[in-house]
Amino acid sequence: GAVVSQHPSWVICKSGTSVKIECRSLDFQATTMFWYRQFPKQSLMLMATSNEGSKATYEQGVEKDKFLINHASLTLSTLTVTSAHPEDSSFYICSADADLTNQPQHFGDGTRLSIL
Amino acid sequence: KQEVTQIPAALSVPEGENLVLNCSFTDSAIYNLQWFRQDPGKGLTSLLLIQSSQREQTSGRLNASLDKSSGRSTLYIAASQPGDSATYLCAVSNQAGTALIFGKGTTLSVSS
């Protein structure tokens, strides 16, 4: 079945560091990928929609200059949290749409980001 | 704006019980609905996908129903086991190729 690989799975770093998270579709091409964030005991909230070859679309309240998204190929999207601060600590997870009718979206295993 | 609500927020049952998790959504014009399982600190495991034209889907001990007109879905788990303990998330998609809108989940604990 379709697989999405997300890396790294866990990051601990100092405040002010920039962190890059990768999301790869391993056996299918995805023109669209989605980035979600989940705070403890909260639901997953969409941060942005990543479109191959064009700019990402950000949800209201998400700073595009802080959360940089690059979708340079049909199998890879990256999210860079720039100058991360403790309030950015969260669980970040990506999903990819295989553009196939009647198929579910496929999710990565997520990245737990802890900023000290 | 689509909103997804899950009731109850938490549920504790003894092993062997049958149980029902509830999900409601405010805009009935959905494309599909998915149920996921999330273990603590982990990603999502897709359990069942129901298209807007379907009424239910089954996989093993799981059965999900969809009543689009009333904006409701239920996840039925038969003969629950301790290994079923996890958070169950309901999510809807309003259009093909768009992001999912999630509920807050129901955290299930099955005791042996």
Side-chain angles (χ1 to χ4, degrees):
Chain A
V3 177
V4 172
S5 174
Q6 188 172 339
H7 177 80
S9 57
W10 195 291
V11 180
I12 301 175
C13 58
K14 295 180 180 180
S15 183
T17 305
S18 292
V19 178
K20 179 186 283 189
I21 303 170
E22 293 187 349
C23 181
R24 293 180 184 273
S25 56
L26 298 184
D27 55 358
F28 65 98
Q29 294 183 332
T31 55
T32 304
M33 292 186 178
F34 304 100
W35 289 96
Y36 299 84
R37 179 168 56 184
Q38 184 182 35
F39 291 108
K41 299 192 184 300
Q42 297 296 313
S43 182
L44 278 78
M45 297 297 293
L46 179 68
M47 296 177 64
T49 301
S50 173
N51 305 297
E52 188 271 335
S54 64
K55 292 182 179 180
T57 304
Y58 290 82
E59 295 300 299
Q60 189 173 9
V62 178
E63 299 176 55
K64 62 179 182 180
D65 294 330
K66 181 170 185 63
F67 298 99
L68 302 179
I69 291 174
N70 184 282
H71 195 156
S73 77
L74 287 171
T75 59
L76 174 64
S77 175
T78 61
L79 168 67
T80 301
V81 184
T82 61
S83 187
H85 293 285
E87 59 266 28
D88 299 322
S89 298
S90 187
F91 185 68
Y92 293 84
I93 191 166
C94 68
S95 74
D97 191 331
D99 300 331
L100 297 174
T101 304
N102 299 333
Q103 293 298 311
Q105 288 189 14
H106 303 282
F107 283 79
D109 287 336
T111 297
R112 184 155 303 282
L113 176 62
S114 295
I115 308 298
L116 305 176
Chain B
K1 178 184 176 184
Q2 179 74 271
E3 293 183 359
V4 180
T5 303
Q6 290 187 248
I7 296 173
L11 182 63
S12 293
V13 299
E15 181 177 8
E17 272 203 11
N18 302 325
L19 56 101
V20 175
L21 308 182
N22 297 292
C23 172
S24 61
F25 44 95
T26 54
D27 185 348
S28 62
I30 62 170
Y31 178 68
N32 62 33
L33 181 145
Q34 276 186 259
W35 283 93
F36 295 88
R37 169 184 172 138
Q38 185 177 30
D39 292 288
K42 303 294 185 181
L44 305 181
T45 300
S46 180
L47 298 174
L48 290 164
L49 168 70
I50 309 178
Q51 299 296 334
S52 61
S53 59
Q54 298 175 324
R55 299 278 299 181
E56 66 176 349
Q57 285 287 331
T58 298
S59 176
R61 293 182 294 109
L62 305 179
N63 175 277
S65 67
L66 174 65
D67 184 343
K68 200 174 79 162
S69 61
S70 67
R72 295 182 181 180
S73 176
T74 60
L75 178 67
Y76 175 82
I77 302 177
S80 59
Q81 303 171 357
D84 294 330
S85 299
T87 295
Y88 290 81
L89 297 169
C90 169
V92 301
S93 173
N94 287 339
Q95 296 180 30
T98 60
L100 298 180
I101 301 164
F102 285 85
K104 290 187 176 181
T106 294
T107 298
L108 173 65
S109 176
V110 181
S111 56
S112 56

Coordinates of all heavy atoms in Angstrom, one line a residue, chain B residues 15-55:
Chain B
E15 N -12.8 -5.5 29.1 CA -12.5 -6.4 27.9 C -13.8 -7.1 27.5 O -14.5 -7.7 28.4 CB -11.4 -7.3 28.2 CG -11.0 -8.2 27.0 CD -9.8 -9.1 27.3 OE1 -9.4 -9.1 28.5 OE2 -9.3 -9.7 26.4
G16 N -14.0 -7.3 26.2 CA -15.1 -8.0 25.7 C -16.4 -7.2 25.4 O -17.3 -7.7 24.7
E17 N -16.5 -6.0 25.9 CA -17.7 -5.2 25.6 C -17.7 -4.7 24.2 O -16.6 -4.4 23.6 CB -17.7 -4.0 26.6 CG -18.4 -4.3 27.9 CD -18.9 -3.0 28.5 OE1 -19.0 -2.0 27.9 OE2 -19.3 -3.1 29.7
N18 N -18.9 -4.6 23.7 CA -19.1 -3.9 22.4 C -19.3 -2.4 22.7 O -19.9 -2.0 23.7 CB -20.3 -4.4 21.7 CG -20.3 -5.9 21.5 OD1 -19.2 -6.5 21.2 ND2 -21.4 -6.6 21.6
L19 N -18.8 -1.5 21.9 CA -18.9 -0.1 22.2 C -19.1 0.7 20.9 O -18.8 0.2 19.8 CB -17.6 0.4 22.9 CG -16.3 0.1 22.3 CD1 -15.8 1.4 21.6 CD2 -15.3 -0.3 23.3
V20 N -19.6 1.9 21.1 CA -19.9 2.8 20.0 C -19.2 4.2 20.2 O -19.4 4.8 21.3 CB -21.4 3.0 19.8 CG1 -21.7 4.0 18.7 CG2 -22.0 1.7 19.4
L21 N -18.5 4.7 19.3 CA -17.9 6.0 19.3 C -18.7 6.9 18.3 O -19.0 6.4 17.2 CB -16.4 6.0 18.9 CG -15.6 5.0 19.7 CD1 -14.1 5.1 19.3 CD2 -15.7 5.2 21.2
N22 N -18.9 8.1 18.7 CA -19.8 9.0 17.9 C -19.0 10.1 17.3 O -18.1 10.7 18.0 CB -20.9 9.5 18.8 CG -21.8 8.5 19.2 OD1 -22.5 7.8 18.5 ND2 -21.8 8.2 20.5
C23 N -19.4 10.5 16.1 CA -18.8 11.6 15.4 C -19.9 12.4 14.7 O -20.8 11.8 14.1 CB -17.8 11.1 14.4 SG -17.1 12.4 13.3
S24 N -19.8 13.7 14.9 CA -20.8 14.6 14.2 C -20.1 15.7 13.4 O -19.0 16.1 13.9 CB -21.9 15.1 15.1 OG -21.3 16.0 16.1
F25 N -20.7 16.1 12.3 CA -20.1 17.2 11.5 C -21.2 18.2 11.1 O -22.3 17.8 10.9 CB -19.3 16.7 10.3 CG -20.0 15.6 9.6 CD1 -20.8 15.9 8.4 CD2 -19.9 14.2 10.0 CE1 -21.5 14.9 7.7 CE2 -20.6 13.2 9.3 CZ -21.3 13.6 8.2
T26 N -20.8 19.4 11.0 CA -21.8 20.5 10.9 C -22.3 20.7 9.4 O -23.4 21.1 9.2 CB -21.3 21.8 11.4 OG1 -20.0 22.1 10.8 CG2 -21.1 21.7 12.9
D27 N -21.4 20.4 8.5 CA -21.8 20.6 7.0 C -21.9 19.2 6.4 O -20.9 18.5 6.3 CB -20.7 21.4 6.3 CG -21.0 21.7 4.9 OD1 -22.0 21.1 4.3 OD2 -20.4 22.6 4.3
S28 N -23.1 18.9 6.0 CA -23.3 17.5 5.5 C -22.8 17.3 4.1 O -22.7 16.2 3.6 CB -24.8 17.2 5.5 OG -25.5 18.1 4.6
A29 N -22.3 18.3 3.4 CA -21.8 18.2 2.0 C -20.3 17.7 2.1 O -19.4 18.5 1.7 CB -21.9 19.5 1.3
I30 N -20.1 16.5 2.5 CA -18.7 16.0 2.6 C -18.4 15.1 1.4 O -19.3 14.6 0.7 CB -18.5 15.2 3.9 CG1 -19.5 13.9 3.9 CG2 -18.8 16.0 5.2 CD1 -19.2 13.0 5.1
Y31 N -17.1 14.9 1.2 CA -16.6 14.1 0.2 C -16.4 12.7 0.7 O -16.8 11.7 0.1 CB -15.3 14.6 -0.4 CG -14.7 13.7 -1.5 CD1 -15.3 13.6 -2.7 CD2 -13.5 13.1 -1.3 CE1 -14.8 12.8 -3.7 CE2 -12.9 12.3 -2.3 CZ -13.6 12.2 -3.5 OH -13.0 11.4 -4.5
N32 N -15.8 12.6 1.9 CA -15.7 11.3 2.5 C -15.4 11.5 4.0 O -15.2 12.6 4.5 CB -14.6 10.4 1.9 CG -13.2 11.0 1.9 OD1 -12.8 11.7 2.9 ND2 -12.4 10.7 0.9
L33 N -15.4 10.4 4.8 CA -15.1 10.4 6.2 C -14.2 9.3 6.5 O -14.4 8.2 6.0 CB -16.4 10.3 7.0 CG -16.4 10.4 8.5 CD1 -17.6 11.1 9.1 CD2 -16.2 9.0 9.1
Q34 N -13.2 9.6 7.4 CA -12.3 8.6 7.8 C -12.2 8.4 9.3 O -12.3 9.4 10.0 CB -10.8 8.9 7.3 CG -10.5 8.5 5.9 CD -9.1 8.8 5.5 OE1 -8.7 9.7 4.8 NE2 -8.2 7.9 5.9
W35 N -12.0 7.2 9.7 CA -11.7 6.9 11.1 C -10.3 6.5 11.2 O -9.8 5.7 10.4 CB -12.6 5.8 11.7 CG -14.0 6.3 12.0 CD1 -15.1 6.3 11.2 CD2 -14.5 6.9 13.2 NE1 -16.2 6.8 11.8 CE2 -15.9 7.2 13.1 CE3 -13.8 7.2 14.4 CZ2 -16.6 7.7 14.1 CZ3 -14.6 7.7 15.5 CH2 -16.0 8.0 15.3
F36 N -9.6 7.1 12.2 CA -8.2 6.8 12.5 C -8.0 6.3 13.9 O -8.8 6.6 14.8 CB -7.3 8.0 12.3 CG -7.2 8.5 10.9 CD1 -8.2 9.5 10.4 CD2 -6.3 8.1 10.0 CE1 -8.1 10.0 9.2 CE2 -6.2 8.6 8.7 CZ -7.1 9.6 8.3
R37 N -6.9 5.6 14.1 CA -6.4 5.3 15.4 C -5.1 5.9 15.6 O -4.2 6.0 14.7 CB -6.3 3.7 15.5 CG -5.6 3.3 16.8 CD -5.3 1.8 16.8 NE -4.5 1.4 17.9 CZ -4.7 0.4 18.7 NH1 -5.7 -0.4 18.4 NH2 -3.9 0.1 19.7
Q38 N -4.9 6.5 16.8 CA -3.6 7.1 17.2 C -3.2 6.6 18.5 O -3.9 6.8 19.6 CB -3.7 8.6 17.2 CG -2.4 9.3 17.4 CD -2.4 10.8 17.4 OE1 -3.5 11.4 17.7 NE2 -1.4 11.5 16.9
D39 N -2.1 5.9 18.6 CA -1.5 5.5 19.8 C -0.6 6.7 20.4 O -0.2 7.5 19.7 CB -0.6 4.3 19.6 CG -1.5 3.1 19.3 OD1 -2.2 2.6 20.2 OD2 -1.5 2.7 18.1
P40 N -0.4 6.7 21.7 CA 0.3 7.8 22.4 C 1.6 8.1 21.7 O 2.4 7.2 21.6 CB 0.4 7.3 23.8 CG -0.7 6.4 24.0 CD -0.9 5.7 22.7
G41 N 1.8 9.4 21.3 CA 3.1 9.8 20.8 C 3.3 9.3 19.4 O 4.4 9.4 18.8
K42 N 2.3 8.7 18.8 CA 2.5 8.1 17.4 C 1.7 8.8 16.4 O 0.9 9.7 16.6 CB 2.1 6.6 17.5 CG 2.9 5.8 18.5 CD 4.4 5.7 18.2 CE 5.1 4.8 19.2 NZ 6.5 4.7 18.9
G43 N 1.9 8.3 15.1 CA 1.2 8.8 14.0 C -0.2 8.2 13.9 O -0.7 7.6 14.9
L44 N -0.8 8.3 12.7 CA -2.2 7.9 12.5 C -2.2 6.6 11.7 O -1.5 6.4 10.8 CB -3.0 9.0 11.7 CG -3.0 10.4 12.3 CD1 -3.9 11.3 11.5 CD2 -3.6 10.3 13.7
T45 N -3.1 5.7 12.2 CA -3.4 4.5 11.4 C -4.8 4.6 10.9 O -5.8 4.7 11.6 CB -3.3 3.3 12.3 OG1 -2.0 3.2 12.8 CG2 -3.6 2.0 11.5
S46 N -5.0 4.5 9.5 CA -6.3 4.6 9.0 C -7.0 3.3 9.2 O -6.5 2.2 9.0 CB -6.2 4.9 7.4 OG -7.4 5.0 6.8
L47 N -8.3 3.4 9.7 CA -9.1 2.3 10.0 C -10.1 2.0 8.9 O -10.2 0.9 8.4 CB -9.8 2.5 11.4 CG -8.9 2.6 12.6 CD1 -9.7 2.9 13.8 CD2 -8.1 1.4 12.8
L48 N -10.9 3.0 8.7 CA -12.0 2.9 7.7 C -12.2 4.2 7.0 O -12.1 5.3 7.5 CB -13.3 2.5 8.4 CG -13.3 1.0 9.0 CD1 -14.5 0.9 9.9 CD2 -13.4 0.0 7.9
L49 N -12.5 4.1 5.7 CA -12.9 5.2 4.8 C -14.3 5.0 4.3 O -14.5 3.9 3.7 CB -11.9 5.3 3.7 CG -12.2 6.3 2.6 CD1 -12.1 7.7 3.1 CD2 -11.3 6.1 1.4
I50 N -15.1 6.0 4.5 CA -16.5 5.9 4.0 C -16.7 7.0 3.0 O -16.5 8.2 3.3 CB -17.5 6.0 5.1 CG1 -17.3 5.0 6.2 CG2 -18.9 5.7 4.5 CD1 -18.3 5.2 7.3
Q51 N -17.0 6.7 1.7 CA -17.3 7.7 0.7 C -18.7 8.3 1.0 O -19.5 7.7 1.7 CB -17.3 7.1 -0.7 CG -15.9 6.6 -1.1 CD -14.8 7.6 -1.1 OE1 -15.1 8.8 -1.4 NE2 -13.6 7.2 -0.9
S52 N -18.9 9.5 0.5 CA -20.2 10.2 0.8 C -21.4 9.4 0.3 O -22.5 9.5 0.9 CB -20.2 11.6 0.2 OG -20.1 11.5 -1.2
S53 N -21.2 8.5 -0.7 CA -22.3 7.8 -1.2 C -22.6 6.5 -0.5 O -23.6 5.8 -0.8 CB -22.1 7.5 -2.7 OG -20.9 6.7 -2.8
Q54 N -21.7 6.1 0.5 CA -21.8 4.9 1.2 C -22.5 5.1 2.5 O -22.5 6.2 3.1 CB -20.4 4.3 1.4 CG -19.7 3.9 0.1 CD -18.3 3.4 0.2 OE1 -17.6 3.9 1.1 NE2 -17.9 2.5 -0.6
R55 N -23.0 4.0 3.1 CA -23.7 4.0 4.4 C -22.8 3.4 5.5 O -22.9 3.8 6.6 CB -25.0 3.2 4.3 CG -26.0 3.7 3.3 CD -26.8 4.9 3.8 NE -27.6 4.6 5.0 CZ -28.4 5.5 5.6 NH1 -28.4 6.7 5.1 NH2 -29.1 5.1 6.6

